[in-house]
Amino acid sequence: MSLTLRTISREQHLAYIQSLPSASHCQVPAWADVKSEWRSENLGWFDDRTGQLVGVGLVLYRQLPKVKRYLAYLPEGPVINWYAPNLDEWLQPMLAHLKKQGAFSVKMGPPVVIRRWDAPAIKSGIQNPDVKRLRDVEATTIEPRAFEVSDKLRRMGWQQGEDGGAGFGDVQPRYVFQVPLANRALEDVLKNFNQLWRRNIKKAEKAGVEVVQGGYQDLAEWQRLYEITAIRDKFRPRPLGYFQQMWQTLNTEDPNRMRLYFARHNGVNLSAATMLVVGGHVWYSYGASDNIGREVRPSNAMQWRMLRDAYALGASVYDLRGISDSLDETDHLFGLIQFKVGTGGEAVEYVGEWDFPLNKLLHKALDIYMSRR
């Protein structure tokens, strides 16, 4: 198949995404408005024989300080046929185009899964004192075609980016945790939760915890809980304006793209979360909780409600987003995988983010600049 790449309209881009079973929320056109400090462009790949649109990419451009050169970033994209035998014929025109646009370096995150570990495999890894990382545990399933993708990228001159860890900040996570929902009964999903999760869901129910959906007007309350969480977990919170913009832009594109949930007890909101929906893929995106009321288990109740809602929407996967690959109980990120593994889902490893330096000198300068921040 011979291909032509050109800039497309947001409408064309969105229509293509809507024709797919799912795509990353970082590749919908409205994501450009969420990341408004970046310049953006919508790219389309066309099949020369039919003239049909066969792939899309949302590119975000970040300008280097003081020079008119850009880092071009395709988070969790582009949305193309990654297993195509002629992968270079998809990516070479993209590199040529981005270079023309003033890019000195390109970063992308192929949405290609390489390995999966089910909950029992992760648990056995946690119990084994010699195992410190997820990658030291034998994977439950391996996708051989993903290794081919990595090999092809290396041969083309792409470099594997630094490990994104748990995916905080602007880098997308390499390891995520997902609960598969396709072709499963909801009872079966609940049965797969571990005993502690099931007990906590019951406990919350008994205590009268209610989980409700919020709207735009409730984002200030979300922010209150999120800032409490930021202090407790020692990270820098995003401002309220970021979530307001996210809500307005994503829900203008699709009224069901972003949701907000609160778990409350005796009228007091104890935890909150944002949820994103693109086709059959549903993400738990941001979470927040107060320091009080933990004994009534609001977070477990809220996750169970969000998972049920995802199921009702016909989702094939409920994605709990980033985890670190550390299975070391002394690691500060270990609690994250421990909490998520209780849902009986699976840890998923993507091929990670890849860089192509179009100008090696500027690419190196950016690396040094980023490492000092």
Side-chain angles (χ1 to χ4, degrees):
M1 169 162 73
S2 70
L3 298 160
T4 302
L5 175 116
R6 62 171 181 267
T7 306
I8 56 172
S9 70
R10 287 177 67 137
E11 292 71 30
Q12 282 172 295
H13 183 143
L14 182 61
Y16 183 76
I17 296 279
Q18 286 167 336
S19 75
L20 303 174
S22 71
S24 168
H25 62 271
C26 302
Q27 280 294 307
V28 300
W31 194 249
D33 304 322
V34 177
K35 299 289 173 191
S36 55
E37 71 279 18
W38 299 64
R39 183 165 73 80
S40 68
E41 185 184 15
N42 307 81
L43 294 182
W45 281 259
F46 292 85
D47 179 342
D48 288 340
R49 279 186 330 233
T50 62
Q52 225 175 348
L53 185 61
V54 288
V56 296
L58 174 68
V59 189
L60 302 174
Y61 294 97
R62 166 72 59 93
Q63 192 174 346
L64 260 190
K66 301 191 177 65
V67 274
K68 267 221 126 59
R69 300 301 291 279
Y70 302 88
L71 165 68
Y73 182 32
L74 294 96
E76 295 183 13
V79 185
I80 59 173
N81 176 10
W82 284 97
Y83 302 121
N86 60 336
L87 189 57
D88 54 333
E89 289 174 33
W90 289 79
L91 296 178
Q92 291 305 351
M94 179 181 90
L95 289 173
H97 175 86
L98 297 174
K99 193 172 186 171
K100 263 197 211 131
Q101 298 291 313
F104 66 87
S105 185
V106 180
K107 183 187 273 296
M108 65 176 183
V112 174
V113 169
I114 198 160
R115 280 184 276 255
R116 295 174 189 270
W117 294 263
D118 64 15
I122 302 165
K123 279 179 203 148
S124 70
I126 292 170
Q127 282 153 8
N128 182 341
D130 298 332
V131 169
K132 293 289 178 227
R133 304 216 155 261
L134 196 52
R135 65 189 80 163
D136 302 331
V137 178
E138 194 182 337
T140 317
T141 54
I142 285 179
E143 175 54 80
R145 293 185 307 168
F147 290 94
E148 281 176 41
V149 171
S150 294
D151 284 345
K152 282 179 186 167
L153 292 175
R154 262 185 217 104
R155 284 202 299 273
M156 282 181 232
W158 288 85
Q159 301 165 2
Q160 191 144 28
E162 286 305 301
D163 198 343
F168 303 110
D170 275 328
V171 179
Q172 299 307 320
R174 179 163 181 182
Y175 295 90
V176 301
F177 202 88
Q178 298 178 346
V179 181
L181 299 176
N183 309 316
R184 291 178 74 190
L186 206 49
E187 295 69 47
D188 167 50
V189 176
L190 182 61
K191 221 185 282 172
N192 258 21
F193 278 31
N194 71 11
Q195 225 178 333
L196 183 65
W197 262 85
R198 290 202 303 269
R199 217 172 33 235
N200 286 344
I201 290 167
K202 274 213 175 78
K203 204 176 198 173
E205 223 170 277
K206 232 184 177 143
V209 171
E210 327 167 69
V211 181
V212 296
Q213 260 185 267
Y216 179 80
Q217 70 287 354
D218 302 303
L219 285 169
E221 173 63 358
W222 147 264
Q223 192 71 14
R224 179 185 75 81
L225 291 168
Y226 173 63
E227 286 178 12
I228 291 170
T229 310
I231 293 165
R232 185 178 64 238
D233 295 348
K234 302 182 178 59
F235 65 85
R236 202 167 78 209
R238 292 191 181 275
L240 173 60
Y242 179 82
F243 295 103
Q244 289 174 327
Q245 191 162 351
M246 198 171 170
W247 183 277
Q248 284 173 319
T249 56
L250 293 179
N251 287 338
T252 299
E253 179 174 276
D254 179 330
N256 210 18
R257 185 77 82 223
M258 180 177 175
R259 292 181 173 199
L260 178 62
Y261 288 85
F262 291 99
R264 57 172 65 144
H265 185 240
N266 296 334
V268 179
N269 292 317
L270 298 175
S271 58
T274 62
M275 181 165 116
L276 299 175
V277 182
V278 183
H281 203 127
V282 171
W283 292 264
Y284 155 53
S285 169
Y286 284 87
S289 61
D290 206 330
N291 298 326
I292 57 165
R294 298 187 146 210
E295 67 288 347
V296 296
R297 305 295 176 206
S299 293
N300 299 87
M302 184 172 66
Q303 286 297 341
W304 176 229
R305 162 74 192 270
M306 287 165 73
L307 197 146
R308 290 196 326 265
D309 283 4
Y311 187 88
L313 287 168
S316 56
V317 63
Y318 179 68
D319 195 323
L320 289 125
R321 288 296 276 169
I323 50 171
S324 123
D325 91 323
S326 174
L327 297 182
D328 179 355
E329 301 194 13
T330 59
D331 189 307
H332 74 290
L333 290 171
F334 174 72
L336 206 57
I337 193 167
Q338 201 178 27
F339 177 74
K340 293 176 182 182
V341 84
T343 61
E346 54 189 20
V348 176
E349 181 190 4
Y350 285 89
V351 293
E353 296 203 315
W354 293 73
D355 297 306
F356 196 99
L358 293 165
N359 177 321
K360 289 193 170 62
L361 199 69
L362 285 176
H363 179 80
K364 189 99 193 98
L366 178 78
D367 271 355
I368 294 165
Y369 171 71
M370 292 311 276
S371 67
R372 286 190 186 144
R373 285 181 70 184

Short mmCIF file of all heavy atoms in Angstrom, two decimals, residues 50 203 327:
data_model
loop_
_atom_site.label_atom_id
_atom_site.label_comp_id
_atom_site.label_asym_id
_atom_site.label_seq_id
_atom_site.Cartn_x
_atom_site.Cartn_y
_atom_site.Cartn_z
N THR A 50 -7.10 4.15 -2.92
CA THR A 50 -8.53 4.41 -2.66
C THR A 50 -8.81 5.85 -2.24
O THR A 50 -9.95 6.30 -2.24
CB THR A 50 -9.03 3.49 -1.52
OG1 THR A 50 -8.29 3.82 -0.34
CG2 THR A 50 -8.83 2.03 -1.86
N LYS A 203 -18.14 -3.13 53.03
CA LYS A 203 -18.00 -2.24 54.18
C LYS A 203 -18.54 -0.84 53.83
O LYS A 203 -19.28 -0.24 54.61
CB LYS A 203 -16.51 -2.14 54.54
CG LYS A 203 -16.24 -1.75 55.98
CD LYS A 203 -14.74 -1.79 56.21
CE LYS A 203 -14.45 -1.85 57.69
NZ LYS A 203 -13.02 -2.05 57.94
N LEU A 327 8.16 -4.12 42.37
CA LEU A 327 7.41 -5.02 43.25
C LEU A 327 8.07 -5.04 44.64
O LEU A 327 7.83 -5.93 45.44
CB LEU A 327 7.37 -6.44 42.67
CG LEU A 327 6.65 -6.59 41.32
CD1 LEU A 327 6.65 -8.04 40.87
CD2 LEU A 327 5.22 -6.06 41.38
#
